[in-house]
Amino acid sequence: MAAAGAHRPGPLKQQNKAHKGGKHSGPSRRRAGGRVPVKAQPRRRPRDLSRVDRRHQALQLRRQRKEAVLAEKRSLGSRDGPPHLVLLVPLHSRAAAHDALRSLQSQDAVVVGMDEGRAGGFALLCPRLKQRWRFVTAQAGDLHAVLDLAKVADSLLFILDPADGWDGAGEHCLSCLFAQGLPSYALAVPGGTDLPPKKRIDARKRLAKAIEKRFPEAKLFPLNTEQESSLLLRHLATQKQRHLAFRDRRAHLLAYAAEFVPSQESDLVGTLKVSGFVRGQTLDVNSLVHIVGHGDFQISQVDAPPDPLSLNPRVVKGQKRSQDMEVQDDSANGTDEMEEDVKVLMKADPNKQESLQSEVVPDPMEGEQTWPTEEELQEAEASLKANRRVVKVPKGTSKYQAAWIVDDGEEGSQEGDDDDDDEYDDIDDDMMEEAVSQEGESSAEEEEPAEEECETMTVSECLRDEQYDEKVEEDEQMLERYKQERMDEMFPDEVDTPRDVPARVRFQKYRGLKSFRTSPWDPKENLPRDYARIFQFQDFSRTRKHLFRQIEKEETEGALVGWYVTLHVCNVPVSVMESFKEGRPLVLFSLLPHEQKMSVLNFLVRRHPSNSEPVRAKEELIFHCGFRRFRASPLFSQHTSADKHKLERFLRPDAALVVTVYAPITFPPALVLLFKQRSNGMHDLIATGSLLSVDPDRIVIKRLVLSGHPFKIFTKMAVVRYMFFNREDVMWFKPVELRTKWGRRGHIKEPLGTHGHMKCHFNGQLKSQDTVLLNLYKRVFPKWTYDPHVPEPVPWVRSESALLVPEVEME
């Protein structure tokens, strides 16, 4: 009876889901019932370590990093490493480097090669401290020499004036050094003992307050006594070294001595034997070397001469002076006498040696096609029939315009013109100049009599009128540039439609885009002939990571860091040796694979605050990119994340722009400085930045804007004039979309009459003061103006401005 009356579950009983036992549990684990064999247990991950193990692991990592820093400090300037290279940079006209050099010579140290008049400087050997230094100085006002030496120096020693700190030229030098990349540095203030004690304390406080912005956390070292000099040397030896990426991944060398052996064919080219200490990375004899300011070369042989700066504790005092005189004579002649015990370390292997080929030799027959067969013609006709469509088009529309409407106006025509693209760019710029000059003719005519009156009034008072009047032409050119830059800011990319040339002929290489952001543009379309000469990577970032990984992990055979070697550089012009004899530094950098080949480089730069003059696109500029120095005429474009980038006609002061040039491949990171040469030979710093990419497929689009004015307005319809001046141009540009400055969009309905008036339809009613615009686009490419030879700038002009006015315009 009890069993018969028991409750039975019905069809509506709640059914709960079974427990899955974890996200990663499979059917085999469920079948095992949670039992896992001992051999199948996974290893504990580092994140699963206990608290004590994590602390122990962090302690070991800290110890490793600390030992690596200490090992780097001990190797620099020691017996096994290269000498500690210190560059003295005087930042004021009254801050003489000679006094600083004399004060740094300690009594218990051996001074080798004392020569203050050239970049060789002198070496300081301290056997008691087991340290050796080499101090170098550049010629006064030589900007290139200072930048080249700063590329390889371990530390910079800035020499300040005790009263004013640095002047205008020193400020210019600091701006260039900070933009290039600053290694470890120290600040020294020699002199100041002739001031009264109270004034000396006030000057010291004023100087310490002035350097807070430029050198935060920096310490001033007085340089008057031997004890202060020893403290400065100890600070230089123990301070943390700041790394520059472009030199840490490449072997580099500062020439200690050099010898030129002319070839048998000509005395102008020969073998340059350069001796110095290897720094950075291991130097491979099969790799190429770049002599800064002179070009790329091959190495034929590497020798191992005796070290001239070896730490020898058994030096006799009587031999000290003779040793100094011998080294001084060798350095003065610029040669290194080869002794009998010179060992040949390695010779270049022709099968493994890098080639000097920098450009691709284009094949003129590569793009030719053979005559098509009958089968190919039949296939082409069939594909054309399959792609034909019937569409409604306005009356008078040609086949070409109908095809353009079908494609949403995204692709244009470039027919009947085989001229170079750069010529049309120059025509566009010339037309802009003519338009601006026509507006400024009246004002220029009014200014001439004013200048004549000014001259007649100041003839008797001024003694330099003739020299002053020579700058009138430069002032007029500068005024014209300011006008063009102002017009481009007020009316960006707007040009006047020519009256003597039909617009369809003048702008036949331009096309309309439905959307600048989303409309497609083939990066391989209509490339110039210069693109057949350059190299391109399939994946540049992947190649860069692979090379850097090889440098960090794999050990290359060659001269190790710290060795004193002699490099036999082949086919070097005699001008390299002449510049070394004149006192300029000779700096060599080994090149990574592919860095001698030409490609398209893109730099992300920002205009320097000290420069206010207009800089127009395609002007010749001087580039300091990493270890290279060259001249080129760049393009300026906007820095955006889109696949198309609009061309900028001027270097904008308020935004970062991308500079595009043809130049040898350089693997980033690499900082870049842009200089502009004046008519008097001085170089002005106009922009600073870094290397963005090596990408020939970056699309730079030049935009032209044709403007028209509404003549009659009927709600959403309007009659527009002054955009075109004949009926055929209106019909030609009919498929292109219109826009207005106040945000309306529309299109051309039909032409009215024969003088360029046209009826347009918009998505809203226009205002009488609105302007109708039509955008046209064309891809542009940089000019091949690469020149590795940069003229030497004239020395800086020292100004007496003090620290209170940091940004001084150089005149």
Side-chain angles (χ1 to χ4, degrees), residues 118 120 134 253-261 271-276 291 305 308 327 329-338 564-569 572-582 584-588:
R118 49 168 291 173
R134 185 183 174 189
L253 178 144
L254 175 63
Y256 185 82
E259 179 184 359
F260 184 78
V261 180
T271 301
L272 183 66
K273 299 180 181 179
V274 183
S275 301
I291 302 180
V327 176
D329 294 339
D330 292 343
S331 60
N333 296 328
T335 60
D336 186 16
E337 298 180 358
M338 300 298 174
Y564 184 78
V565 297
T566 299
L567 308 181
H568 295 245
V569 187
V572 179
V574 69
S575 59
V576 180
M577 188 64 195
E578 292 175 355
S579 66
F580 181 71
K581 288 182 178 180
E582 292 175 358
R584 296 187 179 90
L586 192 61
V587 179
L588 284 78

Side-chain angles (χ1 to χ4, degrees), residues 160-360:
L160 306 179
D161 182 68
D164 296 333
W166 59 82
D167 53 10
E171 176 68 25
H172 180 63
C173 177
L174 286 176
S175 300
C176 298
L177 289 174
F178 273 91
Q180 178 181 265
L182 200 65
S184 304
Y185 61 88
L187 305 177
V189 186
T193 55
D194 52 345
L195 296 175
K198 188 174 181 180
K199 291 186 177 180
R200 193 185 312 169
I201 295 174
D202 294 341
R204 184 71 180 271
K205 290 181 179 178
R206 181 171 175 267
L207 187 60
K209 185 178 180 180
I211 66 174
E212 287 181 357
K213 294 183 180 180
R214 267 294 188 184
F215 304 99
E217 302 178 0
K219 182 181 178 182
L220 282 173
F221 287 89
L223 204 59
N224 298 318
T225 62
E226 181 181 345
Q227 184 179 4
E228 293 172 347
S229 302
S230 61
L231 289 175
L232 177 59
L233 289 178
R234 183 174 301 228
H235 173 73
L236 291 173
T238 57
Q239 69 178 348
K240 183 179 179 181
Q241 295 297 316
R242 302 176 64 177
H243 296 276
L244 300 179
F246 74 91
R247 74 178 185 184
D248 288 344
R249 293 189 175 94
R250 300 170 180 86
H252 52 277
L253 178 144
L254 175 63
Y256 185 82
E259 179 184 359
F260 184 78
V261 180
S263 62
Q264 299 178 357
E265 292 80 7
S266 174
D267 294 339
L268 301 177
V269 179
T271 301
L272 183 66
K273 299 180 181 179
V274 183
S275 301
F277 293 90
V278 181
R279 302 173 183 271
Q281 294 289 335
T282 302
L283 180 62
D284 187 8
V285 69
N286 295 318
S287 62
L288 301 178
V289 293
H290 175 79
I291 302 180
V292 177
H294 300 282
D296 304 334
F297 304 95
Q298 289 180 331
I299 306 176
S300 61
Q301 181 178 328
V302 179
D303 299 336
D307 190 350
L309 303 180
S310 60
L311 289 171
N312 188 6
R314 295 177 296 178
V315 174
V316 184
K317 293 184 179 179
Q319 297 178 356
K320 175 181 176 182
R321 181 171 180 80
S322 62
Q323 182 183 3
D324 294 348
M325 294 300 294
E326 291 176 1
V327 176
Q328 182 178 356
D329 294 339
D330 292 343
S331 60
N333 296 328
T335 60
D336 186 16
E337 298 180 358
M338 300 298 174
E339 300 182 3
E340 297 180 357
D341 55 348
V342 173
K343 299 179 182 179
V344 179
L345 288 180
M346 59 198 77
K347 291 187 177 182
D349 187 359
N351 298 326
K352 299 181 180 179
Q353 197 171 23
E354 291 283 345
S355 173
L356 283 173
Q357 181 183 3
S358 61
E359 301 178 14
V360 178

Side-chain angles (χ1 to χ4, degrees), residues 466-510:
E466 296 180 358
Q467 299 179 359
Y468 186 81
D469 292 340
E470 293 177 357
K471 301 181 180 180
V472 173
E473 296 182 0
E474 298 181 4
D475 293 342
E476 291 179 355
Q477 295 177 0
M478 188 61 64
L479 176 62
E480 200 68 29
R481 289 183 181 179
Y482 278 118
K483 285 183 179 180
Q484 294 174 11
E485 186 180 26
R486 180 62 176 168
M487 290 291 292
D488 189 60
E489 290 180 1
M490 295 174 60
F491 309 100
D493 302 325
E494 288 192 29
V495 297
D496 293 334
T497 306
R499 302 290 299 271
D500 54 346
V501 181
R504 62 186 183 278
V505 177
R506 171 64 186 85
F507 306 118
Q508 61 183 343
K509 283 197 171 184
Y510 290 82

Side-chain angles (χ1 to χ4, degrees), residues 611-628:
N611 181 265
S612 59
E613 297 181 0
V615 181
R616 191 174 178 178
K618 296 185 181 179
E619 284 190 25
E620 187 180 77
L621 301 178
I622 298 172
F623 289 75
H624 287 243
C625 175
F627 54 89
R628 289 190 184 273

Side-chain angles (χ1 to χ4, degrees), residues 353-505:
Q353 197 171 23
E354 291 283 345
S355 173
L356 283 173
Q357 181 183 3
S358 61
E359 301 178 14
V360 178
V361 180
D363 186 5
M365 302 297 294
E366 186 177 359
E368 296 294 329
Q369 296 180 357
T370 57
W371 189 259
T373 61
E374 295 181 359
E375 297 178 356
E376 293 176 347
L377 291 174
Q378 293 176 359
E379 291 179 0
E381 291 180 359
S383 62
L384 285 175
K385 292 180 181 178
N387 292 331
R388 286 178 181 172
R389 296 180 182 179
V390 179
V391 294
K392 292 182 179 181
V393 296
K395 187 178 180 180
T397 305
S398 62
K399 293 182 180 180
Y400 163 72
Q401 291 174 333
W404 199 0
I405 294 175
V406 170
D407 291 338
D408 293 333
E410 293 177 0
E411 295 183 1
S413 172
Q414 297 181 358
E415 57 185 27
D417 193 356
D418 295 330
D419 295 338
D420 190 12
D421 199 18
D422 294 335
E423 297 179 3
Y424 273 84
D425 295 339
D426 297 336
I427 294 174
D428 300 340
D429 299 336
D430 294 340
M431 293 185 66
M432 288 287 292
E433 292 178 1
E434 293 176 2
V436 176
S437 60
Q438 289 175 1
E439 296 178 1
E441 283 180 357
S442 59
S443 61
E445 292 176 357
E446 295 175 0
E447 290 177 359
E448 289 178 359
E451 292 178 357
E452 293 177 359
E453 292 178 3
C454 181
E455 291 175 357
T456 56
M457 292 174 61
T458 56
V459 161
S460 60
E461 298 178 1
C462 183
L463 301 177
R464 300 179 182 178
D465 284 345
E466 296 180 358
Q467 299 179 359
Y468 186 81
D469 292 340
E470 293 177 357
K471 301 181 180 180
V472 173
E473 296 182 0
E474 298 181 4
D475 293 342
E476 291 179 355
Q477 295 177 0
M478 188 61 64
L479 176 62
E480 200 68 29
R481 289 183 181 179
Y482 278 118
K483 285 183 179 180
Q484 294 174 11
E485 186 180 26
R486 180 62 176 168
M487 290 291 292
D488 189 60
E489 290 180 1
M490 295 174 60
F491 309 100
D493 302 325
E494 288 192 29
V495 297
D496 293 334
T497 306
R499 302 290 299 271
D500 54 346
V501 181
R504 62 186 183 278
V505 177

